[in-house]
């Protein structure tokens, strides 16, 4: 019943910005930890950012200072604002939800996933 729908990906040049959105249905997002992961061709899926129920945030070192995760509980939506994009940010970006109170970085801790949205950054 729970579903996550990502949007906002696209093809941009290095230095550009994008904002990804993830709309949840089937559950009330305000009661759950949310996170973004990404997977580039030939690489493992990696943690990008998470946001707790109390809105505390955590980031991968590779995106810290450039990306911002936020949550709008009234809209049941989580966002990922991506600034100063680099070619190495190219990947499929996935939204995920976890029932616990912690903000783990391992993908196995998350219960539901969206289909992903492609982000491609050219130089």
């Amino acid at each position: 019943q729970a579903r996550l729908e990502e949007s906002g990906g696209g093809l941009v040049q290095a230095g550009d910005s994008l904002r990804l959105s993830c709309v949840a249905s089937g559950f009330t997002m305000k009661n759950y930890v949310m996170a973004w992961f990404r997977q580039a061709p030939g690489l493992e899926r990696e943690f990008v950012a998470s946001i707790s129920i109390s809105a505390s945030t955590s980031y991968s070192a590779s995106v810290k200072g450039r990306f911002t995760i936020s949550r709008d509980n009234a809209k049941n939506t989580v966002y990922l604002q991506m600034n100063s994009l680099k070619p190495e940010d190219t990947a499929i970006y996935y939204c995920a939800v976890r029932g616990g109170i912690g903000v783990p970085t391992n993908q196995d801790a998350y219960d539901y996933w969206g289909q992903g949205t492609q982000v491609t950054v050219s130089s």
Side-chain angles (χ1 to χ4, degrees):
Q1 292 182 343
R3 288 186 174 87
L4 299 172
E5 298 283 348
E6 303 100 332
S7 63
L11 173 63
V12 298
Q13 295 183 347
D16 285 351
S17 297
L18 282 173
R19 189 180 75 159
L20 306 183
S21 298
C22 175
V23 179
S25 60
F27 67 99
T28 302
M29 184 181 288
K30 69 177 182 180
N31 298 320
Y32 297 93
V33 171
M34 303 295 297
W36 288 94
F37 288 76
R38 67 186 182 185
Q39 187 168 19
L43 300 178
E44 298 294 323
R45 187 172 298 184
E46 65 173 346
F47 169 81
V48 175
S50 65
I51 184 165
S52 72
I53 296 171
S54 62
S56 63
T57 58
S58 182
Y59 298 92
S60 168
S62 63
V63 306
K64 188 175 180 63
R66 299 187 297 120
F67 291 10
T68 302
I69 186 171
S70 61
R71 185 179 66 197
D72 188 335
N73 291 332
K75 296 181 178 180
N76 228 34
T77 302
V78 64
Y79 304 96
L80 184 68
Q81 177 66 47
M82 305 185 295
N83 298 327
S84 301
L85 283 163
K86 304 175 181 180
E88 51 262 44
D89 294 320
T90 296
I92 300 175
Y93 284 71
Y94 298 92
C95 179
V97 60
R98 178 177 185 265
I101 61 173
V103 286
T105 61
N106 55 304
Q107 61 177 329
D108 290 344
Y110 293 82
D111 301 308
Y112 296 98
W113 298 79
Q115 292 297 308
T117 184
Q118 177 72 50
V119 173
T120 303
V121 185
S122 66
S123 60

